[in-house]
Every structure is written in structure tokens, then in C-alpha cells.
Amino acid sequence: MSRVFVAGSINMDVVATAKRHPRVGETVAGNAVFYFPGGKGANQAVAAAKLGAPTTLIGRIGRDAFGAELKAFLAAQAIDLTFVQNTAETHTGTALITIANADNTIVVIPGANGLVEPADVAAPVLAKGDIAVSQFEIPLPAVGAFFKRARAADATTILNPAPAIEFSRELLDLVDILVLNEGELGFLTKTEIRDTDDDTRFIDAARSLQTSREQIICVTLGGRGVLALVNGTPLIIPGRTVKAVDTTGAGDCFVGAVAAQLAAGTSIGEALRYANSAASICVQRMGAAPSMPTAAEVTPILKK
Ligand code: ATP
Ligand code: RIB
């Protein structure tokens, strides 16, 4: 089996649950507070590792209590942390999350994630067939350097451009598989896209992003499922009907699952179907990293 390498953020998620979200300037009473391991990079690495892929995480944490706790949690998921540095200059990345009616708002303070630089991604040795995964909670120069190394090694690159920011055509050219949600698709294509829009609108927007016909664009549509362009042809995978309690990390679960499946040699179509099922399990549990499913949980669902 090939390896999954994730270069990305590692956060402690401080989660408050409430009956509803406060309006600007308003205070509402909450129900509970939780401290969950999170961060897009860590979540994607946990998903890949729990689904059976040998996984390496590249990133930074601070020399503080959150950093120590996160490192212990990630090590317990059998993730290789050789390339996770402890940095003294600042604190571990922290996300302040409010959850009400299964919907979230998030404020992320990057801390140590903001210090990840191209030198951090220079040491890990990738091989042909490995999967390199990144997102935008670490600085763009590090993402670009990581994907250049991955391409040189003949590894497959997966970019999850979240949170959405403008980025160069040069970086997009280095991406084999782009996984993004409808908000990110709207931002990058500068179009108004709503989750109620019909499939053709998503397909047209996805096509406008492609830098080559071979580039796979995969749009996650929450409970509606997934729409992908594979070899230029639209592939629609309906969402599973489940009771969502917390969707935080659903996109990360999807990305990690796709990476793990591709590392195991699965075809892209089957990998996307598998990831759709994995993410439908994730949304039924509280927390980001702790809600990632195991392969033993996903397989029976796929057989149904
Ligand atoms: P987040 O930012 O909350 O981590 P996202 O916006 O990046 O998530 P979504 O499109 O909401 O990603 O969800 C990713 C995938 O998770 C979906 O494509 C689907 O497979 C699954 N999913 C999300 N919400 C639901 C739901 N309510 N029911 C079933 N599956 C869901
Ligand atoms: O994608 C979910 C993640 O985004 C959370 O775990 C939080 O850390 C934010 O970065």
C-alpha cells in the first residue's frame, strides 16, 4: 500500500453548543463546551489513518498544553509525527466553534500553523503512488513547495482549498484532484452558487476551474452528496440520509477517505463513493478529528 502525506493545520477546537447562533452584538446562553482535536490537516490525516492508510502529518504546534494534548491524540491514531515541529514562537492553532442546529460558525487563530514554511515540507520522502494532501490553513508557499515535491516523486496531489482564498494558476496546475464545497466553488469561480442550484450549474462552474481535462474536480454538497468531474465526465453520488448532529470536519473526512482509498489502489469513482459514506458517519457524531470513522464502520454501509 502507498502512503498518505498530509501537510496542514493542527488545531484545538474549542466548541460551544447552543440552541441557536447569536446575532452580531448579541449574547446567548450555551449548553456545553468541548475541547476536540481538529484543524483541517490533522482531521484529514486522522481520517486517512483510521481508514487504514499509513499516514504522515507535516505541520507545527506550539510548546503548550494544547500542543502536547494534540500530539498525544494524533500519535494514538498511529499517525507518523516525525515532521510535526514544536515551535516556541507562538501558540498551538486554536479554533473557536459554535454549534447550533447541527450548523457551525468557526473563527480560526492560526498560531503555529501560520509558521509552516517550504523548508518544513522538504524532508519527507514521497514515492510514486503516494498521495499528497493539503489545504489552506497553512501558508501558500508551503503548499506549493509540498506539491512540487509530490509531482517530482510522481505522487498524486489532492488540494482542499479551504478556507477559500485566491491562489495562483501555477498552484492549481500542480493539483490532480481538487476537493471543495459549494461555497469555495462560488468564491473561486466568482459566481453566486446556492445549494439549491441544479447539477448543471455546479458542473459548469467545476469545468471552468479545470486547468486540464484530466484534472478531477470534486464538489461536496453536504447532505446532497458529491458531484465530480472525472475525465471530463460528471459523476453524481447522492448523499446518504442520516441525522446530522455536527458537520464540523465532514469535508475533511471526505478528503482523508479519498486519499486513503487511492493509496490502497482503489479507482477514483469507488474512492469518491467510499468517502461519501465515510463522511455521512462523521456528521452523526460531535467533534472533528474524534468523529472520523474506521474502515470497519464504513464497509457495512457500502454493502447496503
Ligand atoms: P465542513 O466545512 O463542515 O467540514 P464541508 O462544507 O467542507 O464541511 P460538506 O459538503 O458539508 O463539506 O460535506 C462533505 C461531505 O460530507 C458531503 O459531500 C457528504 O458526503 C457528507 N455530508 C455532509 N453533510 C451531510 C449530511 N447532512 N448527511 C449526509 N452526508 C453528509
Ligand atoms: O474543517 C474543520 C476544521 O476547520 C475544524 O476542525 C477547525 O479546526 C477548523 O480549522
Side-chain angles (χ1 to χ4, degrees):
M1 187 190 239
S2 296
R3 293 194 69 84
V4 173
F5 289 83
V6 182
S9 57
I10 306 167
N11 294 335
M12 181 60 84
D13 292 351
V14 182
V15 179
T17 59
K19 269 213 174 96
R20 64 175 178 83
H21 290 277
R23 285 184 284 274
V24 174
E26 189 193 18
T27 302
V28 298
N31 298 326
V33 63
F34 303 94
Y35 294 83
F36 289 125
K40 294 183 189 302
N43 295 340
Q44 294 174 15
V46 170
K50 285 185 77 172
L51 292 169
T55 303
T56 298
L57 179 60
I58 303 152
R60 291 198 190 206
I61 51 174
R63 288 186 199 279
D64 48 27
F66 280 171
E69 206 179 309
L70 289 167
K71 218 168 174 180
F73 171 84
L74 294 167
Q77 318 302 313
I79 297 171
D80 174 8
L81 301 177
T82 311
F83 305 106
V84 172
Q85 294 183 45
N86 289 43
T87 186
E89 291 109 287
T90 184
H91 62 87
T92 297
T94 308
L96 305 178
I97 303 181
T98 306
I99 298 173
N101 303 317
D103 250 332
N104 62 42
T105 58
I106 306 183
V107 175
V108 189
I109 306 100
N113 300 308
L115 299 180
V116 177
E117 55 186 22
D120 294 31
V121 299
V125 179
L126 285 79
K128 184 175 165 61
D130 285 343
I131 315 295
V133 182
S134 199
Q135 332 69 28
F136 286 165
E137 283 187 342
I138 57 170
L140 285 177
V143 179
F146 179 52
F147 281 178
K148 272 189 193 142
R149 271 180 70 83
R151 269 283 164 91
D154 233 346
T156 297
T157 57
I158 303 182
L159 178 66
N160 174 218
I165 49 171
E166 301 278 358
F167 64 103
S168 67
R169 160 84 191 215
E170 189 197 0
L171 176 56
L172 190 55
D173 270 337
L174 292 170
V175 175
D176 295 312
I177 305 171
L178 188 75
V179 181
L180 70 179
N181 68 18
E182 67 219 31
E184 289 139 12
L185 181 67
F187 176 86
L188 293 177
T189 56
K190 298 185 175 59
T191 47
E192 273 276 322
I193 299 183
R194 284 189 217 92
D195 52 8
T196 47
D197 284 343
D198 62 22
D199 292 345
T200 50
R201 196 156 162 77
F202 289 107
I203 293 166
D204 290 345
R207 267 196 220 290
S208 74
L209 272 184
Q210 274 182 314
T211 62
S212 70
R213 196 170 181 277
E214 294 71 45
Q215 191 176 52
I216 293 166
I217 312 280
C218 177
V219 187
T220 61
L221 300 170
R224 197 169 146 184
V226 179
L227 192 154
L229 285 179
V230 178
N231 293 324
T233 307
L235 171 66
I236 294 165
I237 302 170
R240 294 188 62 245
T241 307
V242 298
K243 185 171 169 13
V245 297
D246 176 12
T247 61
T248 315
D252 298 331
C253 180
F254 186 89
V255 171
V258 172
Q261 285 291 295
L262 294 179
T266 310
S267 71
I268 181 69
E270 287 313 305
L272 297 178
R273 277 181 226 289
Y274 186 99
N276 182 55
S277 290
S280 78
I281 298 175
C282 168
V283 301
Q284 297 175 67
R285 301 168 179 166
M286 286 295 295
S291 68
M292 301 305 165
T294 60
E297 292 173 301
V298 181
T299 308
I301 287 178
L302 276 172
K303 284 188 183 147
K304 274 186 195 165

